Every structure is written in C-alpha cells, then in structure tokens.
Amino acid sequence: MRLTANEVFPKGNRRFKSSRLRVTEFHIAIVGAGPAGYFAAQALQNAQSEDLEFSIDMIERLPTPWGLVRSGVAPDHPKIKSVSKVFEKIATTEGFQLFCNVELGKDLSLGELQEMYDAVVIATGSSRGKKLGILGEDLAGSLSAADFVPWYNAHPDYVGVDVPLDCDTAVVIGAGNVAMDVARMLALEPHELDPTDTAEHALTNLHKSSIRKVHVFGRRGPEHAAFTSPELRELPKLEHTDVHIDAHQITAAQQRAQAQGELPKDLKSNLEAMLAIAEAEKKNHERAMYFHFLATPLEIKGSSRVEEVVFGINRVENEKVIPTGETFSIQCGLVISAIGYESLEIPGLNYENGRVKNNGGRTSVANTYVVGWAKRGPSGVIGTNKSDSTDVMKLLIEDLKDAKPKKELSALLSSRGVLHLSQGQWEKINAAEVSAGEAVGKPRVKFTQRGEILGL
Ligand code: NAP
C-alpha cells in the first residue's frame, strides 16, 4: 500500500516531512473563489504525491466565497448550487487557506503575488456586462444582466441597483441562459421565490412588481440560440406563467437547419424543446413570457426613462442573418440586456476580447495562469470549469521549478490593516445564513451588507 505524504507524516510537521521524503511544497495563489478557482485548487490537491505538495492560498475580493454559485445562479435553481459542498471539501483539505475581503490591485498587487508564490492562478471571471452600443442604452430602466442578476442574488455591491418594476412589460435582450434566468425571475409569480434564497430586498420588490409580460429577443434564428435544452424544457412546467414561442419560427428554423445536413444532437434537442413550448397548452395566466427571434435592437427610446425599444427585423439567407430593413417597436418600462460579459482588467495582465490574453491558460506574464471565464470568456456551465482548470493546472505543474520559501500572506495583510476573513470565519457566516433560512423555510437568508458580514 502506498501512503501519501500526509498519511506518513502528521499535519503540521512539515520540516520533518521534507527532510525524510524530500517533499517539495509549492505555494500557489489562486485569485477568485468561484468555480474555476476551486476546481483549480482541487486539481492541485489531486496532483499531490509522496514528493509533491501544494499549499494553496485562495484570495477573494468579496467577504464571501463561491463566486457565481452564490451571486449568479438563479435562486429557483437550488440544485445547481449543491456544487458548493464540493467547494467546501476542497477548502477544508490540508494546505488550503481562504482569504476573503482581499482585493487584488487594491490590497496587494499582482507583482507582489508573483514574487511571493511559485505560481499565481487568475480565476476572477468576467463580471462586466457587454454593452449593446445603441442609442438610449443609458436611460433609466435600461440595465445589464450583470447588474440585475447580482441584485437579486444579494451581492453586496449591487444592493442599491435601481430596478424599476412599476411597468407592465419588460424586454430582455439576448438568447442565452442568462437571458432566460432573467426572464424567469421577472415572470415568475413571486410566491414561487419565497422558499428560495433570493435577496430579501429583491423579493420585496418583486412582490410589488407590476410586470406581467416579459419579451425575450434573439438577434439570430432559433437554430442559433444559446439556450440549452434542460432550461428550455422547464418553461412549459411553470405553474403561473404562460410561455409563448411562434411554432412557425421554430419549424422554419428546423427546416433551415436540416437543409444543412443531420442536426447536431444539442441543436435537435433545443429546437424540439422550443417546439414543445410553442405547442404547450396556454392557461391564460396573467403572467407571460414571449420569445422572439431574428430581431436586432436598434434603439432604446424614452424621455427620462425607457419607454420603447426599436428592433430591426432580420432574415436568414444562405445561412447568413441579414437585416430586412424593416423595423418594429415594443413599449416597455424595463430593458435588461443579457448579451455576455467581459473581464474587469487587473493591472499587470494583458487582455484581448474581454478576457486575459493566454495560451491554453498560460499568460504572457511569468508564473501566472488563468482559468475559467477570465481565460475563455463567458461560456460553459459550472462543470465546464472542472476539466478546463485541470488542464491549466497540468501546465502549471509542468512549469514548476524550485519552490520558493513560504511567506505568510496573513502577515502581509495584517501589516497593511486589511481585514481578511478566513475559512473558519466564512463557515460561521455560512452557518448563520443557513440557520436564518431554516427559521423561514429557505435554504439561507443571505447577508447583503459588507459591514454586517465583517462584523460577525
Ligand atoms: P451566451 O450564452 O453567450 O448568450 C449571449 C446571447 O447574447 C446570445 O444569444 C448572443 O447572440 C446575444 N448577443 C450578443 N451580443 C448581442 C447584441 N449586441 N445584440 C443582441 N444580442 C446579442 O451568454 P450568457 O447567456 O450570458 O451565458 C453565459 C454562459 O453561462 C453560457 O455558457 C450559459 O450557458 C451559462 N449559463 C448557464 C446557466 C445554466 O446552466 N442554467 C445559466 C446561466 C448561464 P449571438 O449568438 O447572435 O451572438
């Protein structure tokens, strides 16, 4: 039987360990406590052997970890959040330390991390919403999903976002899963959100919401939509919301796609799911979602706030989406664009197309790697990050040479007066949220104010 270094030598006796087995311990900083960061840590932990160990410091800007699992995943999709159990297992494995409420670029620089650690892994995601770049985009009532989603998910930086819900009709721009999450959150009967971890301020506002009709617009055809079929298949099951898609648009898309040859499995499933929505019995609910395709937003109009969106009508010709020159408009009081994200830039790294410039995860900067959305752009589901981070960590391990002596990050942060939260403190916050939730039949009640989290 082969014992690991941890089994041979008890915790905390590192000097003894290294002299007997010549264990090399590398010190790795992971910046960003979201899925990509945790899966990178897990890949390093899994790569440990008798002679190779990693001590991992994970640094997170927010006072709480879990990234998009906490502040992105829709509250009515609690099962997706169960991956947080995996994160906690990684975080409680020997050699892992969490430093929340520490911001790269403010509390410490990338250069300092590169100096202190054998390797630095950037897992900071992409949190800025892409702009439509059309007239009226900055009117009150026009928001990016990058503001709306963290608002309903209790992200402390987005509590104050002004989300006007005093209108009958909302428009959502984009044909991806974020657009679908946003549309559902607006179109659900708010009581359906009561047993979820939706932020209390958002839930209160959604209960008062006048929105009854939510229109989702894709600029290309149904065959080009980025929705995934499990998410589409949920829609006809909504208890209090009718979902409308024009069946003719879907059959036309099926014919166009079939003319190109056999349909890829995912596309076939997507189009079938859309047709099932179109054909599902409508219950005459007051609340409804409508999907429209081949419509490019041209302008958002309004005197002091959003009143109308003008769309250009497109058609598909020889596989190309081209404008017909015709337009139509829709009256609404709220527009949310869900058209993708780009990374916030970290000084010292090079960026292109909204993400860190990289070659398979290696950046152009010494001992610095990138994983997740910061690496590949905002694509894939949470699980995509597991294989992606694992691949990048293989490169990182290949590149490692001599280990540097360990420097304590907590000492540096304390010397700068940076109030950082450890895994133990996060566990207390987590337990307090879950316990507050238990009392009211929710998975948790999230804290929204940095002050209250830091004061715990
Ligand atoms: P996405 O899947 O890339 O979809 C973006 C949509 O925006 C596309 O339909 C795109 O159309 C459209 N778009 C881009 N620029 C536009 C413009 N200027 N005008 C009009 N439309 C524009 O991005 P996402 O919805 O933000 O999702 C990001 C990732 O997270 C995806 O991989 C998604 O699957 C994942 N996610 C998964 C779940 C889940 O599993 N439940 C939930 C949420 C998000 P074109 O195709 O024409 O460019």
Side-chain angles (χ1 to χ4, degrees):
M1 187 174 75
R2 271 159 65 98
L3 292 176
T4 65
N6 285 345
E7 285 164 323
V8 176
F9 299 105
K11 194 175 171 181
N13 198 353
R14 293 189 183 281
R15 241 172 31 149
F16 181 56
K17 247 188 308 190
S18 39
S19 64
R20 293 290 294 271
L21 268 183
R22 288 205 301 277
V23 177
T24 310
E25 188 182 58
F26 289 99
H27 309 297
I28 313 292
I30 298 178
V31 187
Y38 278 105
F39 286 129
Q42 187 186 49
L44 294 173
Q45 289 172 344
N46 289 345
Q48 293 188 113
S49 63
E50 284 178 351
D51 55 0
L52 175 68
E53 283 193 356
F54 293 103
S55 96
I56 301 165
D57 288 349
M58 181 176 271
I59 297 157
E60 166 58 47
R61 185 178 78 82
L62 290 180
T64 53
W66 299 357
L68 280 186
V69 169
R70 183 175 167 96
S71 60
V73 173
D76 63 332
H77 281 168
K79 276 196 200 139
I80 299 182
K81 300 186 195 208
S82 59
V83 69
S84 57
K85 291 201 187 87
V86 177
F87 299 165
E88 290 307 285
K89 190 153 181 275
I90 296 164
T92 47
T93 297
E94 196 198 339
F96 182 102
Q97 279 190 277
L98 181 68
F99 296 86
C100 280
N101 202 43
V102 177
E103 186 171 346
L104 184 63
K106 179 173 147 247
D107 299 319
L108 76 183
S109 70
L110 181 62
E112 283 174 317
L113 288 184
Q114 288 162 335
E115 185 64 35
M116 282 175 73
Y117 291 89
D118 295 304
V120 180
V121 180
I122 302 296
T124 45
S126 11
S127 56
R128 184 169 49 212
K130 282 192 186 146
K131 297 286 268 183
L132 286 165
I134 61 173
L135 218 60
E137 188 173 13
D138 296 326
L139 277 170
S142 163
L143 273 76
S144 166
D147 297 324
F148 180 60
V149 172
W151 172 77
Y152 64 62
N153 273 328
H155 188 304
D157 295 350
Y158 295 85
V159 175
V161 172
D162 180 21
V163 183
L165 300 172
D166 57 347
C167 47
D168 173 73
T169 302
V171 160
V172 179
I173 296 171
N177 284 335
V178 171
M180 204 181 330
D181 282 350
V182 162
R184 257 193 353 269
M185 287 301 288
L186 290 170
L188 284 178
E189 155 61 46
H191 287 295
E192 295 176 85
L193 295 171
D194 286 346
T196 71
D197 63 2
T198 306
E200 294 297 292
H201 59 259
L203 196 54
T204 305
N205 279 300
L206 288 166
H207 269 285
K208 290 189 238 155
S209 168
S210 305
I211 291 176
R212 295 294 177 268
K213 312 228 168 329
V214 181
H215 293 266
V216 181
F217 289 90
R219 62 180 171 179
R220 298 194 286 154
E223 69 272 44
H224 309 117
F227 307 127
T228 48
S229 57
E231 282 65 30
L232 287 165
R233 286 182 201 282
E234 270 179 46
L235 297 179
K237 297 180 202 149
L238 296 181
E239 277 186 41
H240 303 281
T241 310
D242 284 328
V243 185
H244 300 264
I245 297 187
D246 177 0
H248 293 111
Q249 278 208 316
I250 308 307
T251 48
Q254 280 174 325
Q255 282 161 13
R256 285 192 298 265
Q258 276 156 0
Q260 307 308 313
E262 200 183 333
L263 296 193
K265 201 166 140 253
D266 287 349
L267 175 57
K268 184 168 180 283
S269 173
N270 251 17
L271 291 171
E272 283 169 0
M274 287 190 224
L275 200 57
I277 295 171
E279 290 170 349
E281 186 196 346
K282 307 296 179 268
K283 307 265 173 62
N284 239 340
H285 288 305
E286 193 191 5
R287 295 168 191 276
M289 275 166 76
Y290 301 82
F291 285 84
H292 310 269
F293 297 94
L294 295 166
T296 297
L298 299 178
E299 184 179 351
I300 301 174
K301 288 185 168 174
S303 48
S304 58
R305 62 172 278 186
V306 168
E307 291 169 23
E308 183 182 353
V309 188
V310 183
F311 287 91
I313 302 174
N314 302 321
R315 67 167 191 270
V316 186
E317 201 176 285
N318 299 327
E319 295 175 61
K320 289 211 174 90
V321 177
I322 50 171
T324 61
E326 289 171 54
T327 63
F328 70 95
S329 61
I330 178 163
Q331 312 277 313
C332 62
L334 176 67
V335 178
I336 300 187
S337 63
I339 60 166
Y341 296 82
E342 53 195 15
S343 297
L344 291 176
E345 303 202 350
I346 296 169
L349 287 176
N350 299 313
Y351 287 78
E352 64 180 0
N353 302 327
R355 57 187 183 222
V356 178
K357 200 168 174 182
N358 73 92
N359 180 8
R362 283 184 175 113
T363 73
S364 48
V365 186
N367 74 339
T368 305
Y369 300 79
V370 61
V371 292
W373 282 11
K375 170 195 171 224
R376 58 177 201 277
S379 64
V381 292
I382 289 167
T384 312
N385 294 298
K386 186 165 173 158
S387 52
D388 192 57
S389 290
T390 303
D391 289 346
V392 179
M393 291 309 99
K394 278 187 196 147
L395 299 180
L396 179 153
I397 293 168
E398 262 172 50
D399 295 348
L400 288 171
K401 292 191 180 73
D402 298 328
K404 294 176 186 169
K406 184 167 171 70
K407 293 195 182 132
E408 288 299 334
L409 180 61
S410 54
L412 175 72
L413 294 172
S414 300
S415 74
R416 291 182 180 170
V418 179
L419 177 60
H420 53 279
L421 299 186
S422 65
Q423 174 66 19
Q425 285 163 302
W426 156 240
E427 284 171 15
K428 279 192 200 151
I429 296 163
N430 194 16
E433 288 190 343
V434 171
S435 148
E438 269 165 14
V440 289
K442 298 173 189 253
R444 68 176 61 235
V445 176
K446 288 181 190 164
F447 294 112
T448 53
Q449 306 295 328
R450 275 172 188 268
E452 66 183 339
I453 300 173
L454 296 174
L456 273 178

